[in-house]
Amino acid sequence: NAGVMQNPRHLVRRRGQEARLRCSPMKGHSHVYWYRQLPEEGLKFMVYLQKENIIDESGMPKERFSAEFPKEGPSILRIQQVVRGDSAAYFCASSPPSLSTDTQYFGPGTRLTVL
Amino acid sequence: AQSVTQLDSQVPVFEEAPVELRCNYSSSVSVYLFWYVQYPNQGLQLLLKYLSGSTLVKGINGFEAEFNKSQTSFHLRKPSVHISDTAEYFCAVSDYDTNAGKSTFGDGTTLTVKP
């Protein structure tokens, strides 16, 4: 059973470009979470999605950031018009569709560098 | 709202010495508690978790943690560390609410094991 997969592992963008980060949850998992880790800091929650629904986006910046988890395919975190401050590691986690969402399984992360 | 405080940002120890990484949390509701380890340029790996029951939780790699409700702490311990334990360690908390899957993380503790 493959773990949570994220691609690309490393992404370099120039200011003003768009960044698209992909996350494929573990097989059978229908809950996806995105976190951002700035240098020397812990992970900060961004958004929680279930298939075709955004459940909690309280950690998402109001502008330029969006996320989706379509019925088919991976979850996508999209950052438009990137700025240097967006440089960070972005982690995706997934959990199974049980009543208790207590355990999240993390992917290896995408490290975004904005030049 | 929840918060997690990891009391030590860096912990240097010698190989085969015991270690304790401290974590305090605050929450207005019942919580789940977690410790994760992150090796350089990798994702997070779950070390152990407290959901309910026995307050002493044993995890992988010889780590254990004790939940202390009165002190709102969840300190991580290992009786004898190895060089390979050098990594970043994160304490995290998530709501007991079945609809709240997001976790709040501490800023991390860098454990450096010296020969």
Side-chain angles (χ1 to χ4, degrees), chain A residues 31-50:
Chain A
H31 299 209
V32 166
Y33 315 83
W34 285 94
Y35 293 85
R36 177 165 63 178
Q37 183 181 32
L38 295 170
E40 309 298 325
E41 294 187 15
L43 278 71
K44 297 293 189 286
F45 169 79
M46 299 182 75
V47 62
Y48 165 34
L49 310 106
Q50 294 178 19

Side-chain angles (χ1 to χ4, degrees), chain A residues 9-10 33 35 37 40-45 48 55-56 58 91 99-104 106-109 111, chain B residues 32 34 36 38-44 46 49 51 90 94 97-108:
Chain A
R9 294 292 306 276
H10 300 274
Y33 315 83
Y35 293 85
Q37 183 181 32
E40 309 298 325
E41 294 187 15
L43 278 71
K44 297 293 189 286
F45 169 79
Y48 165 34
I55 307 302
D56 181 347
S58 58
F91 290 95
L99 287 177
S100 172
T101 56
D102 54 289
T103 299
Q104 301 174 351
F106 282 83
R111 280 154 182 84
Chain B
Y32 297 135
F34 307 85
Y36 292 89
Q38 184 181 33
Y39 298 101
N41 297 315
Q42 294 188 26
L44 276 70
L46 181 67
K49 61 185 178 184
L51 306 179
F90 292 97
S94 67
D97 184 335
T98 56
N99 290 322
K102 66 186 183 186
S103 293
T104 300
F105 284 79
D107 285 340

Side-chain angles (χ1 to χ4, degrees), chain B residues 47-108:
Chain B
L47 276 177
L48 48 78
K49 61 185 178 184
Y50 173 78
L51 306 179
S52 64
S54 172
T55 57
L56 183 63
V57 180
K58 294 190 183 296
I60 62 171
N61 300 342
F63 284 93
E64 64 180 30
E66 185 156 19
F67 171 55
N68 187 319
K69 188 174 183 179
S70 62
Q71 296 186 5
T72 60
S73 68
F74 190 54
H75 300 333
L76 181 70
R77 293 190 285 262
K78 185 169 182 177
S80 175
V81 294
H82 302 290
I83 298 288
S84 60
D85 292 323
T86 295
E88 189 84 9
Y89 291 80
F90 292 97
C91 180
V93 60
S94 67
D95 273 338
Y96 200 74
D97 184 335
T98 56
N99 290 322
K102 66 186 183 186
S103 293
T104 300
F105 284 79
D107 285 340

Side-chain angles (χ1 to χ4, degrees), chain A residues 58-70:
Chain A
S58 58
M60 287 278 272
K62 297 292 181 228
E63 298 177 349
R64 301 188 298 107
F65 285 72
S66 63
E68 63 176 8
F69 188 18

Side-chain angles (χ1 to χ4, degrees), chain A residues 47-89:
Chain A
V47 62
Y48 165 34
L49 310 106
Q50 294 178 19
K51 286 282 187 181
E52 300 184 282
N53 286 305
I54 296 175
I55 307 302
D56 181 347
E57 56 181 348
S58 58
M60 287 278 272
K62 297 292 181 228
E63 298 177 349
R64 301 188 298 107
F65 285 72
S66 63
E68 63 176 8
F69 188 18
K71 187 177 180 180
E72 301 290 338
S75 175
I76 305 288
L77 178 67
R78 182 182 177 205
I79 312 172
Q80 295 177 290
Q81 299 176 320
V82 296
V83 301
R84 288 220 173 102
D86 297 332
S87 294

